[in-house]
Amino acid sequence: METTPDYQNDPPLRALRTFEAFARLDTVTAAARELGITASAVSHQLRLLEEFLQTPLTERQGRKLVLTEAGGEYYRAIRSAFTLLRGATGQVLDSASTRQITLSVIPLFGLGWLVPRLPSFLAAHPGLDLNILYAHHRNYLSDAADLSVRFGSGQWRGYRSTRLLPGAAVPVCSREFLDRHGPLSGPGALAGLPLLHDEDRGTWGLWLSQAGVTHHARPTGLLFEDGLLTLAAARAGLGCALLREPLIRDELASGALVKLFDQSCDDGRDYYLCSRADSFLSEDARLLSAWLEKEAAASQQTANGGHGPV
């Protein structure tokens, strides 16, 4: 048995639009003015819709045209559809008239590296709206941003990635903490001090081993969810922290933090700029991507004394 395609039940759209305007504005004259047509054209479109529905939607009461009971019910049924249509159209028009990019970042990367550099990008692209969100680092697959800065091995299914900055961590503490607990005779001295941990307590054990400290107890101390909290704790003098040097250069330069030893801890994870592999970047997103890569290369060249990234 053949069924009638749903689209064959679609009413004539021009007539439907005319009916919606008449029902909302309550007069033929007002509907004609809004639609830019004549009053007789409005009446003609209303008759077309009534013929299609085989139901009278309007009736005369004196000299005024009003909705029938069926017409009122039909208007109430289609009103929400027009509201949705206008809302969706407005969103498309707004996005078409503005230039927007969404960038998701890890909190400490955003605070310590990105935000201080943003003025130059915004000055060069004044018509661009940049939306910055936190990257959900424990579930990167939920990230719907145009671009994201992630920390890891560089391999995320469904994403392209370009290495931005090294992720090796160095031991730091506040000047006040060092004055209380120093001077330090060597890396092994850190094993007996209050240690601050970013996400897990294994990184300090790795650093101590890589620094040649072969006999040390399992590190203990305050554990924080991310580097931003760990940085705040280090600045407050709560202990020694392992932090990623590219993100704390301002603290080191100002003396708010002191790097205790040059020995870094490299666990194979770095900072990467990522985008979805199944979609193309807009021209504006490509501008931001190129700027991020250029800034990262420049900051690495400065860190390496002008010799370029290692």
Side-chain angles (χ1 to χ4, degrees), residues 44-91:
H44 174 67
Q45 292 298 323
L46 293 176
R47 286 195 299 273
L48 285 179
L49 185 59
E50 289 175 329
E51 291 172 4
F52 177 83
L53 296 173
Q54 300 180 11
T55 302
L57 301 176
T58 61
E59 62 183 5
R60 286 279 174 187
Q61 289 186 358
R63 300 182 62 183
K64 183 176 174 62
L65 191 68
V66 298
L67 293 176
T68 64
E69 183 178 349
E73 292 179 356
Y74 188 56
Y75 172 62
R76 285 189 290 275
I78 67 169
R79 180 171 53 191
S80 60
F82 273 88
T83 299
L84 288 173
L85 180 64
R86 291 187 177 109
T89 303
Q91 288 181 354

Side-chain angles (χ1 to χ4, degrees), residues 216-269:
H216 57 81
R218 180 180 179 275
T220 60
L222 291 169
L223 175 66
F224 297 95
E225 183 177 7
D226 62 26
L228 197 58
L229 290 170
T230 310
L231 171 62
R235 293 193 60 162
L238 295 178
C240 301
L242 285 169
L243 292 171
R244 322 290 169 179
E245 193 165 3
L247 311 187
I248 58 168
R249 291 215 171 101
D250 286 347
E251 281 79 8
L252 294 175
S254 68
L257 292 179
V258 179
K259 183 164 70 168
L260 299 173
F261 300 100
D262 289 330
Q263 172 69 42
S264 63
C265 177
D266 187 355
D267 61 4
R269 295 182 296 169

Side-chain angles (χ1 to χ4, degrees), residues 140-157:
Y140 277 135
L141 292 180
S142 68
D143 195 335
D146 299 308
L147 294 166
S148 57
V149 176
R150 304 177 171 192
F151 183 68
S153 65
Q155 300 296 320
W156 292 278
R157 181 177 297 178

Side-chain angles (χ1 to χ4, degrees), residues 70-291:
E73 292 179 356
Y74 188 56
Y75 172 62
R76 285 189 290 275
I78 67 169
R79 180 171 53 191
S80 60
F82 273 88
T83 299
L84 288 173
L85 180 64
R86 291 187 177 109
T89 303
Q91 288 181 354
V92 172
L93 290 174
D94 287 344
S95 63
S97 62
T98 59
R99 300 165 57 195
Q100 294 189 13
I101 310 172
T102 301
L103 172 68
S104 65
V105 297
I106 297 168
L108 184 53
F109 179 93
L111 177 71
W113 191 90
L114 176 66
V115 171
R117 291 171 169 79
L118 274 181
S120 66
F121 179 78
L122 297 177
H125 307 283
L128 196 151
D129 287 335
L130 185 57
N131 305 324
I132 301 177
L133 313 172
Y134 282 147
H136 302 292
H137 63 285
R138 289 185 175 84
N139 185 17
Y140 277 135
L141 292 180
S142 68
D143 195 335
D146 299 308
L147 294 166
S148 57
V149 176
R150 304 177 171 192
F151 183 68
S153 65
Q155 300 296 320
W156 292 278
R157 181 177 297 178
Y159 283 84
R160 299 180 290 261
S161 63
T162 301
R163 183 178 180 272
L164 280 183
L165 296 171
V170 294
V172 298
C173 69
S174 69
R175 173 61 63 184
E176 179 268 339
F177 182 90
L178 183 60
D179 289 342
R180 280 191 286 120
H181 295 277
L184 303 179
S185 58
L190 294 182
L193 296 181
L195 301 179
L196 307 174
H197 305 275
D198 177 359
E199 289 194 64
D200 66 72
R201 292 186 171 90
T203 308
W204 264 114
L206 180 61
W207 183 88
L208 289 167
S209 297
Q210 291 181 354
V213 183
T214 55
H215 298 92
H216 57 81
R218 180 180 179 275
T220 60
L222 291 169
L223 175 66
F224 297 95
E225 183 177 7
D226 62 26
L228 197 58
L229 290 170
T230 310
L231 171 62
R235 293 193 60 162
L238 295 178
C240 301
L242 285 169
L243 292 171
R244 322 290 169 179
E245 193 165 3
L247 311 187
I248 58 168
R249 291 215 171 101
D250 286 347
E251 281 79 8
L252 294 175
S254 68
L257 292 179
V258 179
K259 183 164 70 168
L260 299 173
F261 300 100
D262 289 330
Q263 172 69 42
S264 63
C265 177
D266 187 355
D267 61 4
R269 295 182 296 169
D270 295 309
Y271 292 92
Y272 288 86
L273 178 63
C274 301
S275 61
R276 294 188 297 276
D278 60 356
S279 63
F280 294 100
L281 291 177
S282 67
E283 181 179 350
D284 289 329
R286 289 196 298 272
L287 285 174
L288 178 59
S289 176
W291 177 80

